[in-house]
Amino acid sequence: MAAESAADTAAARAESAEHLAALAEERVDHRFKGLPPDADGLTVGELTAQRRNLFTAGFTTPVLALSAERLEHNLQLMETYATRHGLAFAPHGKTSMAPQLFHRQIEYGAWGITLAVPHQVRVARAFGTQRVFLANELVDQPALKWVASQLAADPAFRFICYVDSVRGVELMDAALRAPRSESARSRSGPTRPVDVVVELAAGDGARTGVRTEAECAAVADAVAAADTLRLVGVAGYEGEVPDANPERVHAWLRRLTALAADFDKAGRFAGVGLDEIVVSAGGSAWFDAVADVFAGIPELSLPVLKLLRSGAYVSHDDGHYRRITPFNRVPEEGALHPAFRLWAQVVSRPSPEQAFVNAGKRDAAYDLDLPFAQVVRSGAEERPATGITVTGLSDQHGWLRTTPEVDLRVGDWVGLGLSHPCTSFDKWQLIPLAEADGTVVDYIRTYF
């Protein structure tokens, strides 16, 4: 069995590498913002091999760049953090929807990838991701039938999703019991049950999840009665705790771990062929609290997979997550580095107090914070953007306020820091991965 598992893993890695290599064969053209017009017709691999410079080799503004050095730092730091605290790691892939980054995260020790909706799971599977945690209840019949077909066709595929209602369990069971066509059955083997975790809500008025422990037990009973599903643990999202502070977040996490212990004591994980019990939480604001509380999970009847799901770390940001990162509370653990910079060009300078750049809502994340002016490039010279503030975004323009003494001219490039990576990746389909001197060493493909 161990040899068979190793062979399955090796085959999955080879398939994943093949799919990722295929990204290099995609042709560069008008679909991809900011890339050099004279690169049209080249493959991504051919363009990468040219190692063009972001500032001098034909890239047009606006152009979003991801720092190669900072990305590497963030990947290493979270691998170290998870290992130090005995946590498995399934970073939320909805942040980037970039299979190349999924692959890098798994190379850096991630157990798998967390996703939110069926489309995202299909993208991950298309690029060979073998372990998926879906942080949502899945009641869409076509999606469930597709998941079942994936489980039947690939013994190495692991899929876990939320359940948060008896009604949801009933809908899932009905969808999974629906007969498949003869051709579908011929292409796959015996159907495996879909693994589920009961989602505990973060409190009254929070987002999804079961509100009380008694209701959690009722949902677990419904799962036990459905042989199309298998209960493997409990989960939730502490970022939705109302009026979150360390005390409230720790209290909710203790409820979650107590729920796992209660389920285990009641025998809910017995007799269904489990090797481990899953307990999962963790966004990007409170993963230190998750580490604290998960360290105190009592011994259960099976080993516990303590699954952390923080995802924004991969690029971090210059606004929201920089303010709330747990590393601000525990600086001895390290520090994440903002890895995005959006380069825009000054296209209008109507007064000494005002300027406009050619990047707006279509290009920059703006749902939580406006971009932050960081540096100005005039030719080969780069200097701090002192005295320059972004005050607003139109569809394709950024509004800048400048102090009168600022030397900012039409044609200058302004480097902008961004807030909230979750709405940065989705605006760019092919993102240059650039070293500090501007050399572009790869291009990150996204699928939103």
Side-chain angles (χ1 to χ4, degrees):
M1 183 67 71
E4 182 179 343
S5 176
D8 288 341
T9 300
R13 286 177 177 167
E15 183 179 5
S16 176
E18 181 180 337
H19 287 303
L20 289 166
L23 289 174
E25 300 305 313
E26 189 165 17
R27 294 286 172 182
V28 174
D29 57 26
H30 60 276
R31 291 170 296 164
F32 304 121
K33 299 190 294 184
L35 300 192
D38 66 353
D40 277 10
L42 296 176
T43 67
V44 172
E46 290 167 343
L47 181 57
T48 301
Q50 293 181 358
R51 294 177 66 85
R52 295 200 185 195
N53 187 277
L54 188 71
F55 308 113
T56 62
F59 289 84
T60 64
T61 55
V63 60
L64 179 68
L66 186 64
S67 164
E69 295 90 350
R70 291 184 170 209
L71 171 64
E72 184 77 11
H73 167 84
N74 293 345
L75 289 167
Q76 290 180 356
L77 180 63
M78 285 304 289
E79 178 189 30
T80 299
Y81 183 87
T83 301
R84 181 185 299 130
H85 292 280
L87 300 169
F89 191 32
H92 218 314
K94 72 172 178 62
T95 300
S96 70
M97 284 309 298
Q100 291 148 288
L101 297 185
F102 295 174
H103 181 70
R104 294 286 301 280
Q105 289 168 310
I106 290 167
E107 281 187 327
Y108 277 91
W111 171 91
I113 298 296
T114 296
L115 297 162
V117 293
H119 154 71
Q120 296 170 355
V121 183
R122 292 189 63 199
V123 170
R125 287 296 287 160
F127 289 89
T129 302
Q130 287 297 94
R131 290 173 176 166
V132 170
F133 186 101
L134 185 70
N136 238 334
E137 185 168 69
L138 183 59
V139 294
D140 185 305
Q141 185 186 73
L144 280 162
K145 291 168 74 72
W146 176 81
V147 167
S149 72
Q150 293 286 300
L151 290 168
D154 184 356
F157 178 41
R158 181 88 192 272
F159 177 85
I160 303 171
C161 71
Y162 282 174
V163 288
D164 88 337
S165 66
V166 172
R167 167 69 172 165
V169 170
E170 292 170 348
L171 289 171
M172 293 178 74
D173 184 47
L176 293 165
R177 288 184 184 280
R180 292 177 293 157
S181 67
E182 286 298 325
S183 60
R185 283 194 290 271
S186 69
R187 291 195 300 269
S188 59
T191 300
R192 287 189 279 152
V194 171
D195 286 347
V196 298
V197 289
V198 173
E199 182 195 6
L200 177 67
D204 291 337
R207 200 164 61 187
T208 56
V210 187
R211 264 41 185 177
T212 69
E213 281 74 2
E215 291 172 301
C216 286
V219 173
D221 287 340
V223 172
D227 59 10
T228 58
L229 305 175
R230 182 173 70 159
L231 182 67
V232 300
V234 300
Y237 174 46
E238 75 292 338
E240 285 293 311
V241 170
D243 301 317
N245 61 31
E247 293 72 27
R248 290 190 179 98
V249 170
H250 277 77
W252 178 81
L253 287 163
R254 287 192 291 270
R255 280 185 65 199
L256 181 69
T257 58
L259 180 65
D262 289 346
F263 275 12
D264 187 49
K265 185 176 180 180
R268 296 187 183 280
F269 302 123
V272 292
L274 294 187
D275 297 321
E276 60 192 5
I277 296 167
V278 177
V279 182
S280 180
S284 295
W286 296 102
F287 57 75
D288 56 332
V290 174
D292 287 346
V293 176
F294 279 18
I297 293 176
E299 185 175 346
L300 303 183
S301 62
L302 292 167
V304 177
L305 182 72
K306 303 172 183 179
L307 195 60
L308 181 70
R309 306 195 307 271
S310 312
Y313 81 98
V314 68
S315 61
H316 200 45
D317 73 354
D318 281 290
H320 178 68
Y321 285 114
R322 192 170 194 171
R323 291 192 299 270
I324 67 171
T325 176
F327 290 126
N328 290 341
R329 294 187 289 271
V330 282
E332 64 274 14
E333 296 268 21
L336 293 167
H337 295 166
F340 270 140
R341 181 166 283 172
L342 176 63
W343 289 98
Q345 194 167 30
V346 178
V347 294
S348 180
R349 188 77 159 105
S351 75
E353 292 80 29
Q354 195 173 37
F356 292 86
V357 292
N358 61 347
K361 292 179 181 178
R362 308 298 184 203
D363 313 297
Y366 63 94
D367 58 323
L368 294 181
D369 297 287
L370 290 170
F372 307 89
Q374 295 178 325
V375 295
V376 175
R377 284 186 69 91
S378 298
E381 177 197 356
E382 187 171 302
R383 61 184 184 275
T386 306
I388 302 174
T389 305
V390 180
T391 60
L393 294 176
S394 300
D395 282 353
Q396 301 292 175
H397 290 91
W399 296 58
L400 306 185
R401 183 177 65 246
T402 63
T403 54
E405 70 278 5
V406 168
D407 179 18
L408 185 67
R409 304 179 184 184
V410 170
D412 288 349
W413 284 31
V414 180
L416 303 171
L418 300 177
S419 178
H420 204 195
C422 296
T423 54
S424 296
F425 280 101
D426 64 354
K427 298 178 185 299
W428 296 83
Q429 291 183 298
L430 199 61
I431 303 171
L433 182 68
E435 294 179 338
D437 66 356
T439 302
V440 177
V441 296
D442 202 355
Y443 295 83
I444 304 300
R445 184 70 159 94
T446 66
Y447 291 87
F448 282 93

